[in-house]
Amino acid sequence: MGSVQIVTTILAFAITAVAVWLAVRAVMKMVAVIRLGQPDPTRFGDPGTRTKTMLAETAGHTRMLRWSVVGAAHWFVMVGFIVLSLLVLEAYFEVVSPTGGLPLVGNWAIYGLVTEWLAILGIVSILVLIAIRLRNRPTRPGGKSRFTGSTMWQGYFVEGIILAVLIMGFVIRGFKVATDHFEYPVWAAPLSHAVGGVLPNWAAGVSVAALVKIVISMTWLIVISLNVTMGVAWHRFLAFFNIFFKRDPGANVSGLGALRPMTSQGKPLDFEEADPEKDQFGVAQVEQFTWKGLLDFSTCTECGRCQSQCPAWNTGKPLSPKLLVLSLRDHAYAKAPYLLAGGGKDLTGEEKATAAQLAHMDVLALAEAEKPLIGTAEEGGIIDPDVLWSCTTCGACVEQCPVDIEHVDHIVDMRRYQVLIESSFPSEAGVMLRNLENKGNPWGAPQNTREDWTKGLDFEVPRVGEVDDFEYLFWVGCAGAFEDRAKKTTRAVATLLNEAGVKFAILGEGETCSGDPARRIGNEFVFQMLAQQNVETLNEAFEGREKSKRKIVATCPHCFNTLGNEYGQLGGEFEVVHHTQLLAHLVATGKLTPVQPVDGGVTYHDPCYLGRHNRVFAPPREVLSSAIAGGDGASGDGGLIEMPRNSERSFCCGAGGARMWMEEKIGKRINVDRVEEAMSTGAKTVAVGCPFCSTMLNDGVNGKGAGEQVEVVDVASVLLRSVKPEQAPGDTERAPAAG
C-alpha cells in the first residue's frame, strides 16, 4: 500500500463512518415517527401475495411503465442503483489497491459485461430523466407542471449524484485499462476500454478515482440523512415497504373501490357503543393517521403524477394530492419531537404531557403542535378546507401513484372528523345529508314515488316479495328512481332485460339510498344507518340463496361500488354487476340483437367509480360497438371515438365524493373541462354509464350552448335505440339548449 492508498483509504472509511452513523440515526428517527401512527393490523395478512406484488411492482415496474419513456428510464436507473451498488462496494477495495476488486465475481467477464451495459444505459436514462425534469420545470412558460410544489433542488441533486457515480465508475475502469490492470476484454467493456485509451498511465489514478466515487456516494447519504423528508431519495428504500403493506395487495390498484372503515385503535368503530371521548372519529391530528398513513407520507417521491391527473388541480382548485401529502409529511416530522417527548392531545383535547415535560420541549415542535390539521392560512392550518372539500374521490391520484399512496382514504378520514365532530362542511351539502336521514334519498323525494319510473311501460315490472323466481335484483338507485334523465336510463335497462327474457325484480319502496354520498363526504354514521337497513332488506330478499345466486344489477356505479365492495363490511355479501356488464353479456350471447346502426359518432366517458375504481372498461365499449355497427355489422357513421383521457386515465365529471351536492366556486368547472374534451372528438353522442355523469355532462353541454349539436345519453339507451329503434324518441336524453 503506497502513500496515496493510505490517504485514500483513511478518507474513504472516515466519510463512510460519518455517513453510516447519520443514516442509522435518520432511519431510527423515521421509524419512530411512523410508529406514532395508529395501529392497523390489516396490513400484515397474506404475506405471499404481498411479496409477489411488491416484487412485480418494483422489479417489474408494472406501474411506472404506464408512462413508457419515463418508466423505462426509471427502470434502468433503479436496476443500476441496486446492481451498481456493488461497484461502490468495489471502490473500497480499489482505494486500498489499484488492482483491487470484488472477490468471487470480480474477475467474471459476464459480471463486467452486465455492469458495463447497466452503467451505459443508466447514464442515458438519468440524462433522459434530467431532460424531462427540465422540460417540465414549474417555471417553464405555459401550463402547469407536475413538479409544481416539488423540492426541485432535491431532484436535481439526486439525479446529479447518480450521474456522477456512474461516470466515476467508467473513470476507475479507464485508469485500470490505462495501467493494464483491467480484468475484462473489450467485448465485455467497450466503453471502459475507450475511456482508458484517453487516460494517462497513472498508477494512483484508480485509488483517487475510487475515493472520489465514495465521497460522492457518501455525500448523497449524508445529505439525505440530514433531510429525512427527502422523499425523492428515501423512496428508494421506503417504496418496497409501502407497496408490501398496501391495503389490498391482490387488487389491480389498492386504495380504490371500497373505503377503509372508520377505526379506533386499529378496530372498526361500532357506532352503537362508540364514545367520542374514548374512540377516535376520523383524523383530527396527524398522529391519528395509521402508521401506514405516516409511511405513505414519508414515501412520496414528489413526482407529481397524482397532481398531473387530478381533476381539481387541472381546473384551478387548490387541491393537489401531492402537495396535500407533502404538507402532512412535513407537519408530521416537524411535530414529531413534541410527540416523541410525550406530548400530544387526548380525544377530549387535554394535553398529555406535564408542565415539566413541556418546559424542555423543542419550541418549534411545540409551535407546530398548536397548528390545526384543517384550517385556513389565517388559522395556521396544515390543510385548507378548500383543499379538503375539492376532492371528488375519483381515485386518479391513487391510480397513478408509483409507490401506492392511498390519498383518498386519508382525505376521507380527515373529512370524517370535520363532519362528525366539528360539523364543518360545505353548507349546501347539509340539505343532502338531512334528506338522506329523513327521506332515504339525497333529493328528499317521497319514498312512495320510488316506483313512478315504471309507469307507462308496456310490461309489468315484478317486485321482490311478489315473485320468488328472479335471477337479478335490479337495484334502481336514488337517481334512477327520482332524477328525470336517470329514470329514462332505468326504463331502458328494464326494457332491455325484459326483451332479453332476463328474470328480474325490484325492491320498490323497500329500497333506500346506498349511502355512498354520506360516506364520501365523511358522515359514516348516516352511511352505516342506511347501509345496515339495506343489508337487512337485501339479505331478506335473497334468503336461502348462496352468494353466487345473490345477484344484483345496478345502473349507478356509486351504488355498484358500495353494494359490491363495502356492504361486505356490514355482513352483506352479494354478486353485483353494472348494467353495462350484463348488457354486454346479453348481446354477446345473442339475447339482444342490435339492428339499427348509430350514426354521428359516439364517444364514451368512463365513470370513475365504474372504470378506475372497479376496472370495468371493456363492457360499455362492447355494447356501444355493437350498437354502432347495428345488425348488418356495418359501422355507423363516425364509429366509437375515444377521448384523449380514457379508461384508467379518464377525467372525472366532478360529481364524486359527494361533490354532486356542493357548489363548484373555485376555478373552471370540472364538467365543462370534460365536455370540451368530449366535443373535441367530433362525436355527436357522448355515452355515459352513470347517472351522476349524465347530469354533470348534460349540464356542461347545456352551459356550452351545444344542446342541439351534442347529446349525452346512457349506454343502455344507445343500445335500446339500436335493438328497438321504434322506442328511440321516448328515450332521448338530449340536453336542452341554453336559454
Side-chain angles (χ1 to χ4, degrees):
M1 182 185 290
S3 58
V4 172
Q5 282 72 41
I6 292 173
V7 173
T8 55
T9 301
I10 292 172
L11 291 175
F13 282 89
I15 193 171
T16 300
V18 172
V20 169
W21 177 74
L22 289 172
V24 169
R25 190 182 70 167
V27 169
M28 291 176 65
K29 179 178 181 180
M30 295 177 77
V31 170
V33 171
I34 291 168
R35 291 183 65 185
L36 288 169
Q38 300 301 302
D40 189 351
T42 65
R43 303 288 178 168
F44 299 94
D46 198 359
T49 301
R50 292 184 181 278
T51 301
K52 181 180 177 182
T53 300
M54 183 267 289
L55 291 174
E57 289 193 23
T58 53
H61 253 43
T62 52
R63 293 170 72 80
M64 282 292 294
L65 286 173
R66 296 173 184 173
W67 290 68
S68 57
V69 173
V70 176
H74 192 276
W75 186 87
F76 281 112
V77 171
M78 182 202 71
V79 173
F81 180 84
I82 295 171
V83 176
L84 299 181
S85 295
L86 292 173
L87 296 184
V88 176
L89 176 61
E90 188 175 32
Y92 286 94
F93 293 92
E94 292 162 342
V95 294
V96 176
S97 169
T99 60
L102 282 178
L104 300 179
V105 300
N107 292 316
W108 294 358
I110 189 65
Y111 171 74
L113 176 69
V114 169
T115 51
E116 179 87 357
W117 280 101
L118 279 177
I120 291 171
L121 293 171
I123 288 175
V124 172
S125 297
I126 201 67
L127 289 173
V128 168
L129 294 180
I130 290 172
I132 290 172
R133 189 177 291 272
L134 287 169
R135 189 184 66 196
N136 291 282
R137 65 192 185 281
T139 55
R140 83 193 196 288
K144 286 188 175 182
S145 165
R146 66 183 174 95
F147 293 116
T148 298
S150 298
T151 315
M152 295 300 286
W153 76 262
Q154 294 180 353
Y156 291 129
F157 171 78
V158 169
E159 290 164 346
I161 287 287
I162 294 171
L163 181 61
V165 168
L166 292 171
I167 290 173
M168 289 311 301
F170 284 109
V171 173
I172 294 170
R173 287 186 166 190
F175 273 120
K176 283 189 173 183
V177 171
T179 55
D180 201 26
H181 294 309
F182 196 43
E183 306 95 328
Y184 313 121
V186 175
W187 64 265
L191 184 56
S192 296
H193 279 274
V195 173
V198 298
L199 290 178
N201 184 356
W202 180 28
V206 173
S207 296
V208 171
L211 173 63
V212 173
K213 183 174 183 176
I214 290 170
V215 169
I216 292 172
S217 300
M218 293 304 109
T219 298
W220 175 80
L221 189 56
I222 289 170
V223 170
I224 73 167
S225 296
L226 295 174
N227 293 272
V228 290
T229 59
M230 196 170 174
V232 70
W234 281 107
H235 84 273
R236 284 164 170 75
F237 311 107
L238 297 178
F240 297 99
F241 299 99
N242 209 52
I243 294 169
F244 181 87
F245 289 116
K246 69 160 113 178
R247 174 148 62 91
D248 185 358
N252 188 290
V253 180
S254 181
L256 295 179
L259 283 172
R260 282 183 68 252
M262 271 184 70
T263 60
S264 181
Q265 292 300 311
K267 298 177 181 178
L269 201 62
D270 183 347
F271 277 94
E272 292 184 2
E273 300 178 0
D275 181 351
E277 294 188 1
K278 298 178 181 178
D279 296 301
Q280 180 180 316
F281 280 58
V283 169
Q285 303 289 335
V286 72
E287 65 271 21
Q288 291 177 349
F289 287 105
T290 67
W291 62 264
K292 176 57 170 64
L294 296 178
L295 178 59
D296 271 359
F297 308 153
S298 302
T299 308
C300 180
T301 72
E302 303 190 25
C303 67
R305 286 177 179 81
C306 58
Q307 181 171 288
S308 71
Q309 302 297 304
C310 177
W313 177 260
N314 277 284
T315 54
K317 316 292 190 292
L319 168 64
S320 155
K322 177 188 71 178
L323 297 181
L324 178 139
V325 166
L326 297 187
S327 296
L328 293 171
R329 178 198 68 189
D330 294 345
H331 174 57
Y333 280 89
K335 187 178 179 181
Y338 158 76
L339 296 170
L340 292 170
K345 303 285 177 62
D346 63 20
L347 294 174
T348 64
E350 294 295 319
E351 176 60 59
K352 297 177 183 178
T354 64
Q357 285 178 302
L358 291 173
H360 296 89
M361 284 185 187
D362 185 311
V363 291
L364 293 178
L366 280 171
E368 191 74 21
E370 292 303 314
K371 295 180 179 180
L373 189 65
I374 306 299
T376 62
E378 292 75 15
E379 296 166 337
I382 305 303
I383 304 298
D384 191 278
D386 284 336
V387 169
L388 187 67
W389 297 109
S390 291
C391 180
T392 66
T393 69
C394 71
C397 49
V398 180
E399 169 77 39
Q400 292 300 324
C401 181
V403 293
D404 283 306
I405 293 171
E406 297 161 1
H407 312 73
V408 173
D409 282 341
H410 305 319
I411 288 171
V412 173
D413 271 341
M414 290 186 284
R415 285 183 170 187
R416 284 166 167 167
Y417 181 83
Q418 293 301 303
V419 173
L420 293 172
I421 302 300
E422 297 291 335
S423 295
S424 177
F425 51 88
S427 58
E428 60 269 23
V431 176
M432 177 268 291
L433 289 173
R434 287 192 296 274
N435 285 337
L436 287 177
E437 287 190 75
N438 300 326
K439 299 290 188 177
N441 67 85
W443 284 274
Q447 187 71 357
N448 61 9
T449 62
R450 269 196 181 268
E451 298 180 35
D452 283 1
W453 65 270
T454 64
K455 295 176 180 177
L457 291 174
D458 56 7
F459 58 92
E460 188 71 24
V461 177
R463 279 77 173 165
V464 172
E466 297 176 4
V467 293
D468 295 323
D469 183 23
F470 62 90
E471 183 180 4
Y472 287 94
L473 188 151
F474 182 14
W475 183 271
V476 176
C478 299
F482 301 120
E483 206 274 328
D484 288 340
R485 282 177 292 228
K487 281 196 283 188
K488 294 170 185 173
T489 300
T490 307
R491 292 165 61 87
V493 171
T495 301
L496 289 166
L497 294 182
N498 181 70
E499 180 74 12
V502 176
K503 294 181 178 179
F504 70 97
I506 62 171
L507 289 172
E509 294 182 27
E511 184 183 302
T512 191
C513 180
S514 68
D516 165 85
R519 186 167 232 199
R520 265 71 198 170
I521 202 174
N523 197 325
E524 186 74 4
F525 176 79
V526 170
F527 164 73
Q528 292 210 15
M529 177 186 73
L530 295 168
Q532 286 170 352
Q533 178 181 336
N534 282 326
V535 166
E536 184 178 335
T537 300
L538 290 168
N539 282 339
E540 183 178 339
F542 289 121
E543 188 173 4
R545 297 194 189 190
E546 57 192 58
K547 181 181 177 181
S548 62
K549 294 183 178 179
R550 296 157 68 93
K551 297 180 181 180
I552 299 174
V553 58
T555 58
C556 174
H558 297 264
C559 296
F560 165 69
N561 178 71
T562 303
L563 271 63
N565 295 328
E566 297 183 337
Y567 275 18
Q569 299 170 3
L570 301 169
E573 296 290 339
F574 313 108
E575 291 288 342
V576 187
V577 298
H578 188 252
H579 72 283
T580 58
Q581 292 176 296
L582 181 54
L583 294 179
H585 170 72
L586 295 174
V587 170
T589 55
K591 293 182 179 179
L592 289 175
T593 304
V595 294
Q596 177 68 49
V598 177
D599 292 330
V602 179
T603 190
Y604 174 64
H605 163 78
D606 288 273
C608 299
Y609 274 83
L610 182 64
R612 193 155 38 236
H613 279 275
N614 285 283
R615 323 311 294 176
V616 180
F617 299 120
R621 290 172 168 82
E622 292 168 1
V623 172
L624 291 172
S625 295
S626 66
I628 291 168
D632 58 5
S635 176
D637 180 29
L640 181 61
I641 311 165
E642 292 286 4
M643 287 185 249
R645 294 176 292 192
N646 64 77
S647 301
E648 68 272 4
R649 291 194 186 182
S650 178
F651 197 70
C652 182
C653 74
R659 286 221 53 91
M660 179 84 170
W661 291 274
M662 299 182 220
E663 292 295 328
E664 196 170 347
K665 302 174 182 176
I666 305 173
K668 183 180 182 180
R669 294 184 66 87
I670 294 173
N671 61 330
V672 171
D673 191 293
R674 186 56 165 171
V675 161
E676 289 174 352
E677 184 175 6
M679 291 175 63
S680 72
T681 66
K684 300 302 182 185
T685 301
V686 180
V688 297
C690 171
F692 290 3
C693 296
S694 176
T695 296
M696 298 300 284
L697 298 187
N698 262 300
D699 288 349
V701 168
N702 187 40
K704 298 291 292 184
E708 294 300 319
Q709 293 80 45
V710 179
E711 67 170 339
V712 179
V713 63
D714 190 89
V715 171
S717 293
V718 175
L719 180 61
L720 181 62
R721 293 176 186 182
S722 183
V723 172
K724 302 185 73 172
E726 70 279 3
Q727 292 200 12
D731 288 305
T732 184
E733 295 179 36
R734 185 178 300 275

